[in-house]
């Protein structure tokens, strides 16, 4: 009875239906919230009440330039922080205080500091996704931050309700700084720019900025919007008129576009360089969910700042002449001057000589980092702005007890991308050897030989040992792709996995040290290698590792020794079954429901309720 009630609950709290980003890799799972602890919330602690406190770590100081940038991207509703990972345990209230203090420091230094976001606010946590419209609780919190430039993401465009809310409410909030250079809104049949296409302004220190914001050539949007390919957009008259202006000191371009190896970024860069061979270009990418920095030429650099409130990107620029900015270099023009030959982009002769120098860092999203860089302590860091945001997050989550109902206890930790799928610590190994055989089956056909296929892009998070909640279910797989079944001969079913891997349509702990009497701890985390080298991670970590993940994985149940003529049940989700069907010739049934409205989202909750211990 309890299982039926909770499955009914998951049907009421349905996640989105739609495509997954197939290049998503694994951040660390959020965690179980104890409401009694929330009601006893100690505001001096400030991070969410059950979040793990970050230990003292080795942190590199930031180099402040004449102009500096803080960058977020792909937050996906993780504004409460990561409750079970001390590396990323700060919430957006902590971040708001950090930004406020960093902007005040910039003013004291007489330099510029701009805050930029590259899109994808939706789809990723129960806190963000449980409401109608999606983001009803999280978006107003995000709007409390003083962003200077923002771009749209594909998760603002998948569904009409989110697109409508973004167009009518979110975009206008930013007073012309939420830019959509290649997106239009279908307003009752009339196409209108989704928001402003560009912005031109002067920074506090006098730098004249021309800014654009693009999304990649996305085709999965609802009919409420139209995405113009980037190559077309940069040829349009409005863009050409702005890019040809001569009163520009720097181009800032935000974009929900994979930074490295991107045709779209190359087109934008070359469209600017056609008219301005040497003017600085600062690019802020997203979508790929990785830390990265790319050198386009000696005056053009891009940064991508991870995902899910794990990373804050930092970029600084020195060497600007006094004719461009009133700011002096606080620490001297002694950062990295770009001398390496950049990758060739067809049609562009890159600028290889410059007086500019750059630094980039990837900050971990935690209080210890924020306090270090603002020169504060736990007692002096808080302000009323951040405290109010933290209280709001806590009270919002506290008002949704259905999110934090414990369904069961994950027996161990299983990782999405740290280990190969042959490892017992791989999430996909656990799914295919334990979970799918137990719960993905038509209850009337449990004696049939079967295979269960899933696309790996549908699973987005590590599964950590401990309590498992509806919120964790959203974080692990928020997609409402229904499990379907088809019966086909083993002769074709046995080759399905190999065929789907190449299907073009759907291929989409270390020893502690001591310093100043404080124990410095190295935790597992990101170790990034980019075009500047391998020193970009602001906190020194032990490499958490990564492994290649195939596009699909499969569970085999009772198929050993069967002949080619044996009929087997093939299970897959509605996301890819149209493609899989063409490989199952000789099938004796069409795709039919495997078990009512049982979906990919419901898979782990069912496992938790039926097979996991309730004692953890």
């Amino acid at each position: 009875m309890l299982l039926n009630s909770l499955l009914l609950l998951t049907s009421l709290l349905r996640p989105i239906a739609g495509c997954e980003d197939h290049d998503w890799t694994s951040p660390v799972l959020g965690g179980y919230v104890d409401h009694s602890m929330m009601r006893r919330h100690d505001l001096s602690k400030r991070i969410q009440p059950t979040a793990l406190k970050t230990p003292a770590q080795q942190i590199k100081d930031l180099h402040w330039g004449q102009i500096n940038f803080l960058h977020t991207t792909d937050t996906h509703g993780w504004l409460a922080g990561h409750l079970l990972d001390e590396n990323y345990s700060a919430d957006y209230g902590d971040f708001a205080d950090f930004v406020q203090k960093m902007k005040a420091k910039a003013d004291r230094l007489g330099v510029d500091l701009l805050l930029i976001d590259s899109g994808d606010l939706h789809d990723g946590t129960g806190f963000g996704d449980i409401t109608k419209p999606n983001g009803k609780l999280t978006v107003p919190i995000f709007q409390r931050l003083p962003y200077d430039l923002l771009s749209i993401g594909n998760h603002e465009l998948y569904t009409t309700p989110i697109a409508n809310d973004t167009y009518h409410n979110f975009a206008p909030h930013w007073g012309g700084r939420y830019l959509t250079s290649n997106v239009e809104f279908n307003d009752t049949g009339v196409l209108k720019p989704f928001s402003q296409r560009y912005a031109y302004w002067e920074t506090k220190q006098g730098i004249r900025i021309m800014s654009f914001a693009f999304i990649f050539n996305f085709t999965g949007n609802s009919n409420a919007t139209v995405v113009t390919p980037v190559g077309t957009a940069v040829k349009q008259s409005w863009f050409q008129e702005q890019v040809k202006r001569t009163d520009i000191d720097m181009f800032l371009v935000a974009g929900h576009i994979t930074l490295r190896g991107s045709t779209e970024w190359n087109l934008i860069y070359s469209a600017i360089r056609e008219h301005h061979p040497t003017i600085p270009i600062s690019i802020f990418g997203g979508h790929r969910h990785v830390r990265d920095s790319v050198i386009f030429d000696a005056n053009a650099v891009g940064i991508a700042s991870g995902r899910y409130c794990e990373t804050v990107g930092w970029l600084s620029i020195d060497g600007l002449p006094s004719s461009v900015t009133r700011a002096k270099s606080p620490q001297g023009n002694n950062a990295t001057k770009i001398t390496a030959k950049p990758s060739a982009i067809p049609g562009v002769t890159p600028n290889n000589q410059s007086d500019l120098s750059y630094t980039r860092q990837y900050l971990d999203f935690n209080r210890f980092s924020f306090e270090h860089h603002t020169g504060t302590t736990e007692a002096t860091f808080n302000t009323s702005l951040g405290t109010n945001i933290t209280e709001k997050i806590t009270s919002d989550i506290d008002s949704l007890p259905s999110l934090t109902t414990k369904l069961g206890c994950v027996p161990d930790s299983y990782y999405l991308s740290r280990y190969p799928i042959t490892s017992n610590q791989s999430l996909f190994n656990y799914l295919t050897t334990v979970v799918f055989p137990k719960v993905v089956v038509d209850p009337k056909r449990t004696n049939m030989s079967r295979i269960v296929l899933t696309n790996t892009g549908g699973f987005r998070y590590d599964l950590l040992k401990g309590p498992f909640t509806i919120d964790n279910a959203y974080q692990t797989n928020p997609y409402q792709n229904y499990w379907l079944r088809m019966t086909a001969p083993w002769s074709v079913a046995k080759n399905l996995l190999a065929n789907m891997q190449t299907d073009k349509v759907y291929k989409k702990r270390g020893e502690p040290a001591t310093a100043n009497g404080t124990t410095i701890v190295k935790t597992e985390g990101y170790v990034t290698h980019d075009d500047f080298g391998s020193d970009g991670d602001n906190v020194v970590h032990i490499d958490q590792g990564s492994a290649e993940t195939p596009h699909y994985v499969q569970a085999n149940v009772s198929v050993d020794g069967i002949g080619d003529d044996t009929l087997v049940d093939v299970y897959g989700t509605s996301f890819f079954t149209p493609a899989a069907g063409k490989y199952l010739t000789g099938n004796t049934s069409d795709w039919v429901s495997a078990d009512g409205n049982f979906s990919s989202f419901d898979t782990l909750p069912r496992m938790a309720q039926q097979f996991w211990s309730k004692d953890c």
Side-chain angles (χ1 to χ4, degrees):
M1 187 64 183
L2 178 58
L3 172 62
N4 292 334
S5 299
L6 286 164
L7 291 179
L8 174 61
L9 172 63
T10 64
S11 71
L12 295 174
L13 310 182
R14 278 296 178 197
I16 63 165
C19 297
E20 297 87 342
D21 288 351
H22 288 266
D23 50 10
W24 282 356
T25 50
S26 173
V28 181
L29 191 65
Y32 171 64
V33 179
D34 183 327
H35 282 269
S36 63
M37 290 186 71
M38 282 197 163
R39 286 187 284 273
R40 299 193 304 270
H41 186 28
D42 179 2
L43 289 178
S44 68
K45 182 179 180 182
R46 273 295 309 286
I47 56 176
Q48 289 301 299
T50 57
L52 299 178
K53 185 175 181 178
T54 306
Q57 297 174 320
Q58 181 182 345
I59 297 180
K60 306 169 189 176
D61 289 333
L62 298 175
H63 178 98
W64 283 80
Q66 293 165 290
I67 185 168
N68 309 273
F69 304 91
L70 292 170
H71 180 223
T72 58
T73 186
D74 296 272
T75 51
H76 286 287
W78 281 85
L79 307 192
H82 293 248
L83 305 184
L84 294 182
D85 190 329
E86 65 270 21
N87 289 330
Y88 320 115
S89 55
D91 65 26
Y92 240 60
D94 300 308
F95 183 53
D97 279 347
F98 172 67
V99 170
Q100 182 172 258
K101 284 179 165 56
M102 292 292 278
K103 281 191 172 265
K105 183 174 182 178
D107 290 343
R108 292 194 301 272
L109 292 173
V111 299
D112 285 311
L113 175 62
L114 302 179
L115 178 63
I116 297 178
D117 184 77
S118 294
D120 268 9
L121 277 62
H122 297 267
D123 306 329
T125 67
F127 178 38
D129 300 349
I130 194 173
T131 57
K132 293 186 183 299
N134 174 313
K136 184 178 180 180
L137 297 176
T138 52
V139 167
I141 292 168
F142 189 92
Q143 288 175 320
R144 299 283 299 275
L145 276 288
Y147 281 95
D148 297 287
L149 176 64
L150 307 95
S151 73
I152 202 166
N154 53 301
H155 282 262
E156 280 72 75
L157 299 177
Y158 275 120
T159 69
T160 295
I162 294 177
N164 277 331
D165 186 61
T166 304
Y167 175 77
H168 290 290
N169 300 312
F170 186 73
H173 169 83
W174 299 102
R177 297 294 178 85
Y178 185 79
L179 304 184
T180 50
S181 299
N182 64 326
V183 182
E184 293 177 294
F185 185 77
N186 185 350
D187 190 358
T188 62
V190 178
L191 291 181
K192 300 178 180 179
F194 195 97
S195 63
Q196 285 80 0
R197 288 172 167 157
Y198 65 92
Y200 178 83
W201 82 94
E202 188 174 302
T203 69
K204 287 184 177 181
Q205 301 304 324
I207 302 173
R208 297 171 300 176
I209 299 290
M210 174 59 72
S211 55
F212 305 106
F214 291 86
I215 189 173
F216 67 98
N217 295 340
F218 179 52
T219 59
N221 49 307
S222 79
N223 59 11
T225 59
V226 173
V227 176
T228 301
V230 170
T232 300
V234 297
K235 295 177 182 177
Q236 292 175 335
S237 59
W238 72 266
F239 182 87
Q240 288 296 313
E241 180 180 346
Q242 299 306 315
V243 80
K244 290 177 182 178
R245 291 173 59 159
T246 58
D247 56 343
I248 299 170
D249 298 320
M250 181 178 292
F251 286 91
L252 299 187
V253 191
H256 199 73
I257 305 172
T258 298
L259 187 63
R260 185 170 298 276
S262 163
T263 299
E264 291 98 333
W265 280 127
N266 290 350
L267 287 166
I268 296 164
Y269 164 76
S270 61
I272 295 172
R273 279 288 175 256
E274 181 181 354
H275 302 287
H276 300 281
T278 61
I279 283 183
I281 305 172
S282 299
I283 289 172
F284 299 87
H287 182 62
R288 184 65 178 87
H289 295 194
V290 296
R291 297 177 172 186
D292 199 8
S293 187
V294 170
I295 295 171
F296 290 84
D297 66 32
N299 273 6
V301 167
I303 188 171
S305 303
R307 59 209 171 173
Y308 316 113
C309 296
E310 292 179 342
T311 301
V312 181
W314 172 266
L315 181 69
S316 72
I317 304 175
D318 278 303
L320 296 166
S322 59
S323 59
V324 167
T325 177
R326 294 183 292 274
K328 309 297 182 183
S329 297
Q331 297 168 263
N333 186 17
N334 57 1
T336 301
K337 289 193 175 183
I338 297 170
T339 57
K341 184 179 179 180
S343 300
I345 295 175
V348 180
T349 301
N351 171 43
N352 290 325
Q353 294 186 353
S354 174
D355 293 327
L356 299 188
S357 61
Y358 295 84
T359 68
R360 58 78 186 90
Q361 292 284 303
Y362 311 106
L363 281 62
D364 283 0
F365 207 95
N366 63 56
R367 277 287 296 255
F368 192 77
S369 290
F370 295 166
E371 290 167 6
H372 175 89
H373 293 302
T374 55
T376 59
T377 65
E378 187 170 348
T380 62
F381 180 79
N382 296 343
T383 72
S384 58
L385 171 66
T387 298
N388 289 339
I389 292 174
T390 293
E391 285 183 303
K392 184 69 167 72
I393 293 171
T394 305
S395 62
D396 282 347
I397 295 176
D398 204 25
S399 71
L400 301 167
S402 55
L403 271 186
T404 54
T405 299
K406 183 173 67 176
L407 306 183
C409 302
V410 184
D412 207 338
S413 293
Y414 308 99
Y415 298 93
L416 210 73
S417 62
R418 294 191 188 187
Y419 299 95
I421 61 172
T422 54
S423 169
N424 289 335
Q425 292 179 281
S426 163
L427 174 61
F428 294 113
N429 182 285
Y430 181 61
L431 290 171
T432 55
T433 61
V434 179
V435 177
F436 291 168
K438 289 182 179 293
V439 301
V440 182
V441 61
D442 183 330
K444 298 179 181 178
R445 300 174 67 86
T446 55
N447 293 328
M448 283 286 292
S449 297
R450 62 188 184 273
I451 63 174
V452 184
L453 188 74
T454 190
N455 58 312
T456 56
F459 289 86
R460 297 173 50 185
Y461 294 96
D462 300 336
L463 191 58
L464 296 186
K465 184 177 182 178
F468 184 82
T469 69
I470 289 293
D471 196 28
N472 296 140
Y474 275 99
Q475 295 162 1
T476 309
N477 188 326
Y479 300 106
Q480 186 181 341
N481 296 311
Y482 295 105
W483 285 108
L484 303 177
R485 171 181 59 77
M486 177 184 282
T487 302
W490 178 239
S491 59
V492 294
K494 67 182 180 182
N495 299 317
L496 180 60
L497 179 61
N499 286 327
M500 288 300 293
Q501 299 291 19
T502 57
D503 188 275
K504 293 181 179 180
V505 176
Y506 286 84
K507 179 179 178 181
K508 282 207 173 174
R509 297 220 186 210
E511 293 298 320
T514 59
N516 300 323
T518 301
T519 300
I520 302 298
V521 177
K522 274 190 179 182
T523 60
E524 289 189 348
Y526 291 111
V527 176
T528 306
H529 305 276
D530 59 24
D531 283 4
F532 282 89
S534 57
D535 61 347
D537 298 296
N538 187 244
V539 173
V540 179
H541 286 296
I542 302 167
D543 193 346
Q544 65 186 18
S546 63
E548 291 294 323
T549 302
H551 297 295
Y552 295 85
V553 292
Q554 177 178 294
N556 297 317
V557 183
S558 303
V559 297
D560 291 344
I562 65 174
D564 282 355
D565 294 334
T566 304
L567 294 176
V568 300
D569 284 344
V570 178
Y571 292 83
T573 72
S574 54
F575 176 69
F576 62 83
T577 46
K582 65 178 177 283
Y583 299 113
L584 298 174
T585 56
N587 55 299
T588 61
S589 75
D590 292 326
W591 290 110
V592 296
S593 172
D595 185 10
N597 289 329
F598 182 51
S599 75
S600 52
F601 172 74
D602 302 318
T603 305
L604 286 171
R606 178 177 285 189
M607 183 70 186
Q609 280 297 306
Q610 292 186 350
F611 296 101
W612 290 345
S613 170
K614 306 303 182 291
D615 185 16
C616 54

